Amino acid sequence: MSKPIKTDNSYKAWIMELKQRIRLSQIKAAVKVNIEMLYLYWSIGEDIVNRNAEAVWGKSVINQLSQDLKDEFPYMKGFSPRNLVYMKQM
């Protein structure tokens, strides 16, 4: 009769290694997502500056842009008027 898998030492070692690899992969993915989000925020700020948005459309452009982005991407955070000003300052 074979012994239960959960008590087998080689299985325990293998499952621990798999869990560690999964966690490491999750961390790497989160870092890559954060890098991409920072690049996105920087590029949005750059667009606001390069288009001279506030001079062309007035100060309310930040509020309108915020609302339009929130409406289109309701699952995303970070598009508040204050954050858009921070992006512009980057």
PDB file of all heavy atoms in Angstrom, residues 11-32:
ATOM      1  N   TYR A  11       6.893  15.019  -2.031  1.00  0.00           N
ATOM      2  CA  TYR A  11       5.728  15.804  -2.443  1.00  0.00           C
ATOM      3  C   TYR A  11       5.671  17.111  -1.660  1.00  0.00           C
ATOM      4  O   TYR A  11       5.431  18.180  -2.235  1.00  0.00           O
ATOM      5  CB  TYR A  11       4.424  15.021  -2.234  1.00  0.00           C
ATOM      6  CG  TYR A  11       3.208  15.839  -2.605  1.00  0.00           C
ATOM      7  CD1 TYR A  11       2.823  15.963  -3.927  1.00  0.00           C
ATOM      8  CD2 TYR A  11       2.466  16.498  -1.631  1.00  0.00           C
ATOM      9  CE1 TYR A  11       1.726  16.733  -4.289  1.00  0.00           C
ATOM     10  CE2 TYR A  11       1.370  17.274  -1.970  1.00  0.00           C
ATOM     11  CZ  TYR A  11       1.003  17.392  -3.295  1.00  0.00           C
ATOM     12  OH  TYR A  11      -0.077  18.166  -3.645  1.00  0.00           O
ATOM     13  N   LYS A  12       5.910  17.042  -0.357  1.00  0.00           N
ATOM     14  CA  LYS A  12       5.899  18.250   0.479  1.00  0.00           C
ATOM     15  C   LYS A  12       6.921  19.262  -0.030  1.00  0.00           C
ATOM     16  O   LYS A  12       6.645  20.460  -0.129  1.00  0.00           O
ATOM     17  CB  LYS A  12       6.195  17.905   1.930  1.00  0.00           C
ATOM     18  CG  LYS A  12       5.061  17.252   2.670  1.00  0.00           C
ATOM     19  CD  LYS A  12       5.501  16.975   4.106  1.00  0.00           C
ATOM     20  CE  LYS A  12       4.443  16.290   4.909  1.00  0.00           C
ATOM     21  NZ  LYS A  12       4.873  16.016   6.285  1.00  0.00           N
ATOM     22  N   ALA A  13       8.110  18.778  -0.352  1.00  0.00           N
ATOM     23  CA  ALA A  13       9.163  19.673  -0.849  1.00  0.00           C
ATOM     24  C   ALA A  13       8.752  20.273  -2.190  1.00  0.00           C
ATOM     25  O   ALA A  13       8.953  21.469  -2.441  1.00  0.00           O
ATOM     26  CB  ALA A  13      10.478  18.912  -0.974  1.00  0.00           C
ATOM     27  N   TRP A  14       8.175  19.462  -3.049  1.00  0.00           N
ATOM     28  CA  TRP A  14       7.762  19.925  -4.364  1.00  0.00           C
ATOM     29  C   TRP A  14       6.658  20.982  -4.260  1.00  0.00           C
ATOM     30  O   TRP A  14       6.731  22.027  -4.891  1.00  0.00           O
ATOM     31  CB  TRP A  14       7.291  18.732  -5.203  1.00  0.00           C
ATOM     32  CG  TRP A  14       6.818  19.094  -6.577  1.00  0.00           C
ATOM     33  CD1 TRP A  14       7.467  19.854  -7.504  1.00  0.00           C
ATOM     34  CD2 TRP A  14       5.582  18.716  -7.165  1.00  0.00           C
ATOM     35  NE1 TRP A  14       6.715  19.956  -8.644  1.00  0.00           N
ATOM     36  CE2 TRP A  14       5.543  19.254  -8.466  1.00  0.00           C
ATOM     37  CE3 TRP A  14       4.507  17.940  -6.732  1.00  0.00           C
ATOM     38  CZ2 TRP A  14       4.475  19.074  -9.334  1.00  0.00           C
ATOM     39  CZ3 TRP A  14       3.436  17.744  -7.597  1.00  0.00           C
ATOM     40  CH2 TRP A  14       3.432  18.316  -8.884  1.00  0.00           C
ATOM     41  N   ILE A  15       5.643  20.727  -3.434  1.00  0.00           N
ATOM     42  CA  ILE A  15       4.539  21.677  -3.303  1.00  0.00           C
ATOM     43  C   ILE A  15       5.026  22.975  -2.676  1.00  0.00           C
ATOM     44  O   ILE A  15       4.593  24.066  -3.056  1.00  0.00           O
ATOM     45  CB  ILE A  15       3.323  21.078  -2.546  1.00  0.00           C
ATOM     46  CG1 ILE A  15       2.063  21.926  -2.766  1.00  0.00           C
ATOM     47  CG2 ILE A  15       3.572  20.956  -1.070  1.00  0.00           C
ATOM     48  CD1 ILE A  15       1.512  21.882  -4.138  1.00  0.00           C
ATOM     49  N   MET A  16       5.974  22.914  -1.757  1.00  0.00           N
ATOM     50  CA  MET A  16       6.549  24.130  -1.172  1.00  0.00           C
ATOM     51  C   MET A  16       7.291  24.937  -2.238  1.00  0.00           C
ATOM     52  O   MET A  16       7.189  26.162  -2.294  1.00  0.00           O
ATOM     53  CB  MET A  16       7.469  23.795   0.002  1.00  0.00           C
ATOM     54  CG  MET A  16       6.721  23.416   1.265  1.00  0.00           C
ATOM     55  SD  MET A  16       7.781  22.966   2.659  1.00  0.00           S
ATOM     56  CE  MET A  16       8.866  24.366   2.774  1.00  0.00           C
ATOM     57  N   GLU A  17       8.021  24.252  -3.104  1.00  0.00           N
ATOM     58  CA  GLU A  17       8.737  24.927  -4.188  1.00  0.00           C
ATOM     59  C   GLU A  17       7.749  25.592  -5.155  1.00  0.00           C
ATOM     60  O   GLU A  17       7.950  26.735  -5.576  1.00  0.00           O
ATOM     61  CB  GLU A  17       9.611  23.939  -4.953  1.00  0.00           C
ATOM     62  CG  GLU A  17      10.339  24.570  -6.118  1.00  0.00           C
ATOM     63  CD  GLU A  17      10.927  23.548  -7.078  1.00  0.00           C
ATOM     64  OE1 GLU A  17      11.123  22.378  -6.688  1.00  0.00           O
ATOM     65  OE2 GLU A  17      11.165  23.938  -8.231  1.00  0.00           O
ATOM     66  N   LEU A  18       6.676  24.877  -5.498  1.00  0.00           N
ATOM     67  CA  LEU A  18       5.666  25.441  -6.392  1.00  0.00           C
ATOM     68  C   LEU A  18       5.023  26.692  -5.788  1.00  0.00           C
ATOM     69  O   LEU A  18       4.853  27.705  -6.464  1.00  0.00           O
ATOM     70  CB  LEU A  18       4.588  24.414  -6.714  1.00  0.00           C
ATOM     71  CG  LEU A  18       4.994  23.263  -7.634  1.00  0.00           C
ATOM     72  CD1 LEU A  18       3.838  22.278  -7.781  1.00  0.00           C
ATOM     73  CD2 LEU A  18       5.433  23.782  -8.984  1.00  0.00           C
ATOM     74  N   LYS A  19       4.692  26.631  -4.511  1.00  0.00           N
ATOM     75  CA  LYS A  19       4.085  27.783  -3.833  1.00  0.00           C
ATOM     76  C   LYS A  19       5.036  28.975  -3.846  1.00  0.00           C
ATOM     77  O   LYS A  19       4.612  30.109  -4.084  1.00  0.00           O
ATOM     78  CB  LYS A  19       3.709  27.418  -2.396  1.00  0.00           C
ATOM     79  CG  LYS A  19       2.539  26.465  -2.286  1.00  0.00           C
ATOM     80  CD  LYS A  19       2.315  26.089  -0.829  1.00  0.00           C
ATOM     81  CE  LYS A  19       1.225  25.074  -0.661  1.00  0.00           C
ATOM     82  NZ  LYS A  19       1.024  24.700   0.761  1.00  0.00           N
ATOM     83  N   GLN A  20       6.306  28.703  -3.619  1.00  0.00           N
ATOM     84  CA  GLN A  20       7.304  29.775  -3.617  1.00  0.00           C
ATOM     85  C   GLN A  20       7.426  30.393  -5.019  1.00  0.00           C
ATOM     86  O   GLN A  20       7.488  31.606  -5.158  1.00  0.00           O
ATOM     87  CB  GLN A  20       8.653  29.234  -3.141  1.00  0.00           C
ATOM     88  CG  GLN A  20       9.708  30.298  -2.986  1.00  0.00           C
ATOM     89  CD  GLN A  20      10.996  29.722  -2.423  1.00  0.00           C
ATOM     90  OE1 GLN A  20      11.205  28.519  -2.390  1.00  0.00           O
ATOM     91  NE2 GLN A  20      11.864  30.604  -1.978  1.00  0.00           N
ATOM     92  N   ARG A  21       7.448  29.563  -6.048  1.00  0.00           N
ATOM     93  CA  ARG A  21       7.534  30.067  -7.417  1.00  0.00           C
ATOM     94  C   ARG A  21       6.305  30.889  -7.794  1.00  0.00           C
ATOM     95  O   ARG A  21       6.402  31.922  -8.464  1.00  0.00           O
ATOM     96  CB  ARG A  21       7.725  28.916  -8.399  1.00  0.00           C
ATOM     97  CG  ARG A  21       9.128  28.344  -8.333  1.00  0.00           C
ATOM     98  CD  ARG A  21       9.432  27.168  -9.231  1.00  0.00           C
ATOM     99  NE  ARG A  21       8.552  26.917 -10.343  1.00  0.00           N
ATOM    100  CZ  ARG A  21       8.320  25.686 -10.815  1.00  0.00           C
ATOM    101  NH1 ARG A  21       8.881  24.618 -10.269  1.00  0.00           N
ATOM    102  NH2 ARG A  21       7.521  25.513 -11.848  1.00  0.00           N
ATOM    103  N   ILE A  22       5.134  30.436  -7.349  1.00  0.00           N
ATOM    104  CA  ILE A  22       3.893  31.176  -7.627  1.00  0.00           C
ATOM    105  C   ILE A  22       3.935  32.539  -6.951  1.00  0.00           C
ATOM    106  O   ILE A  22       3.629  33.561  -7.571  1.00  0.00           O
ATOM    107  CB  ILE A  22       2.659  30.362  -7.189  1.00  0.00           C
ATOM    108  CG1 ILE A  22       2.487  29.148  -8.107  1.00  0.00           C
ATOM    109  CG2 ILE A  22       1.402  31.230  -7.169  1.00  0.00           C
ATOM    110  CD1 ILE A  22       1.498  28.113  -7.609  1.00  0.00           C
ATOM    111  N   ARG A  23       4.335  32.568  -5.685  1.00  0.00           N
ATOM    112  CA  ARG A  23       4.412  33.847  -4.964  1.00  0.00           C
ATOM    113  C   ARG A  23       5.416  34.792  -5.622  1.00  0.00           C
ATOM    114  O   ARG A  23       5.151  35.985  -5.767  1.00  0.00           O
ATOM    115  CB  ARG A  23       4.772  33.608  -3.508  1.00  0.00           C
ATOM    116  CG  ARG A  23       3.614  33.041  -2.705  1.00  0.00           C
ATOM    117  CD  ARG A  23       3.912  32.958  -1.214  1.00  0.00           C
ATOM    118  NE  ARG A  23       2.810  32.324  -0.529  1.00  0.00           N
ATOM    119  CZ  ARG A  23       2.811  31.072  -0.079  1.00  0.00           C
ATOM    120  NH1 ARG A  23       3.877  30.315  -0.222  1.00  0.00           N
ATOM    121  NH2 ARG A  23       1.753  30.578   0.523  1.00  0.00           N
ATOM    122  N   LEU A  24       6.565  34.278  -6.020  1.00  0.00           N
ATOM    123  CA  LEU A  24       7.577  35.095  -6.684  1.00  0.00           C
ATOM    124  C   LEU A  24       7.038  35.645  -7.995  1.00  0.00           C
ATOM    125  O   LEU A  24       7.235  36.820  -8.319  1.00  0.00           O
ATOM    126  CB  LEU A  24       8.855  34.285  -6.915  1.00  0.00           C
ATOM    127  CG  LEU A  24      10.008  35.024  -7.574  1.00  0.00           C
ATOM    128  CD1 LEU A  24      10.443  36.217  -6.735  1.00  0.00           C
ATOM    129  CD2 LEU A  24      11.183  34.076  -7.790  1.00  0.00           C
ATOM    130  N   SER A  25       6.339  34.821  -8.738  1.00  0.00           N
ATOM    131  CA  SER A  25       5.747  35.250 -10.001  1.00  0.00           C
ATOM    132  C   SER A  25       4.699  36.339  -9.761  1.00  0.00           C
ATOM    133  O   SER A  25       4.615  37.312 -10.528  1.00  0.00           O
ATOM    134  CB  SER A  25       5.125  34.058 -10.716  1.00  0.00           C
ATOM    135  OG  SER A  25       4.610  34.442 -11.947  1.00  0.00           O
ATOM    136  N   GLN A  26       3.910  36.199  -8.722  1.00  0.00           N
ATOM    137  CA  GLN A  26       2.908  37.213  -8.388  1.00  0.00           C
ATOM    138  C   GLN A  26       3.572  38.546  -8.056  1.00  0.00           C
ATOM    139  O   GLN A  26       3.102  39.607  -8.481  1.00  0.00           O
ATOM    140  CB  GLN A  26       2.043  36.756  -7.206  1.00  0.00           C
ATOM    141  CG  GLN A  26       1.082  35.643  -7.542  1.00  0.00           C
ATOM    142  CD  GLN A  26       0.365  35.107  -6.322  1.00  0.00           C
ATOM    143  OE1 GLN A  26       0.925  35.036  -5.231  1.00  0.00           O
ATOM    144  NE2 GLN A  26      -0.896  34.722  -6.508  1.00  0.00           N
ATOM    145  N   ILE A  27       4.656  38.505  -7.321  1.00  0.00           N
ATOM    146  CA  ILE A  27       5.387  39.723  -6.968  1.00  0.00           C
ATOM    147  C   ILE A  27       5.954  40.382  -8.215  1.00  0.00           C
ATOM    148  O   ILE A  27       5.838  41.594  -8.413  1.00  0.00           O
ATOM    149  CB  ILE A  27       6.490  39.424  -5.931  1.00  0.00           C
ATOM    150  CG1 ILE A  27       5.859  39.066  -4.585  1.00  0.00           C
ATOM    151  CG2 ILE A  27       7.445  40.605  -5.788  1.00  0.00           C
ATOM    152  CD1 ILE A  27       6.833  38.491  -3.576  1.00  0.00           C
ATOM    153  N   LYS A  28       6.567  39.584  -9.087  1.00  0.00           N
ATOM    154  CA  LYS A  28       7.125  40.123 -10.323  1.00  0.00           C
ATOM    155  C   LYS A  28       6.035  40.763 -11.177  1.00  0.00           C
ATOM    156  O   LYS A  28       6.231  41.826 -11.764  1.00  0.00           O
ATOM    157  CB  LYS A  28       7.828  39.028 -11.123  1.00  0.00           C
ATOM    158  CG  LYS A  28       9.159  38.618 -10.557  1.00  0.00           C
ATOM    159  CD  LYS A  28       9.771  37.531 -11.425  1.00  0.00           C
ATOM    160  CE  LYS A  28      11.115  37.070 -10.914  1.00  0.00           C
ATOM    161  NZ  LYS A  28      11.699  36.036 -11.787  1.00  0.00           N
ATOM    162  N   ALA A  29       4.883  40.128 -11.257  1.00  0.00           N
ATOM    163  CA  ALA A  29       3.774  40.671 -12.045  1.00  0.00           C
ATOM    164  C   ALA A  29       3.295  41.996 -11.450  1.00  0.00           C
ATOM    165  O   ALA A  29       3.042  42.957 -12.196  1.00  0.00           O
ATOM    166  CB  ALA A  29       2.624  39.669 -12.112  1.00  0.00           C
ATOM    167  N   ALA A  30       3.190  42.067 -10.133  1.00  0.00           N
ATOM    168  CA  ALA A  30       2.749  43.301  -9.481  1.00  0.00           C
ATOM    169  C   ALA A  30       3.731  44.437  -9.737  1.00  0.00           C
ATOM    170  O   ALA A  30       3.325  45.574  -9.995  1.00  0.00           O
ATOM    171  CB  ALA A  30       2.575  43.071  -7.984  1.00  0.00           C
ATOM    172  N   VAL A  31       5.022  44.131  -9.695  1.00  0.00           N
ATOM    173  CA  VAL A  31       6.040  45.152  -9.961  1.00  0.00           C
ATOM    174  C   VAL A  31       5.917  45.657 -11.391  1.00  0.00           C
ATOM    175  O   VAL A  31       5.963  46.862 -11.644  1.00  0.00           O
ATOM    176  CB  VAL A  31       7.454  44.602  -9.672  1.00  0.00           C
ATOM    177  CG1 VAL A  31       8.525  45.515 -10.222  1.00  0.00           C
ATOM    178  CG2 VAL A  31       7.652  44.388  -8.174  1.00  0.00           C
ATOM    179  N   LYS A  32       5.734  44.745 -12.337  1.00  0.00           N
ATOM    180  CA  LYS A  32       5.599  45.148 -13.743  1.00  0.00           C
ATOM    181  C   LYS A  32       4.352  46.001 -13.953  1.00  0.00           C
ATOM    182  O   LYS A  32       4.383  46.977 -14.703  1.00  0.00           O
ATOM    183  CB  LYS A  32       5.592  43.926 -14.651  1.00  0.00           C
ATOM    184  CG  LYS A  32       6.958  43.293 -14.775  1.00  0.00           C
ATOM    185  CD  LYS A  32       6.960  42.088 -15.687  1.00  0.00           C
ATOM    186  CE  LYS A  32       8.354  41.484 -15.703  1.00  0.00           C
ATOM    187  NZ  LYS A  32       8.444  40.337 -16.579  1.00  0.00           N
TER     188      LYS A  32
END
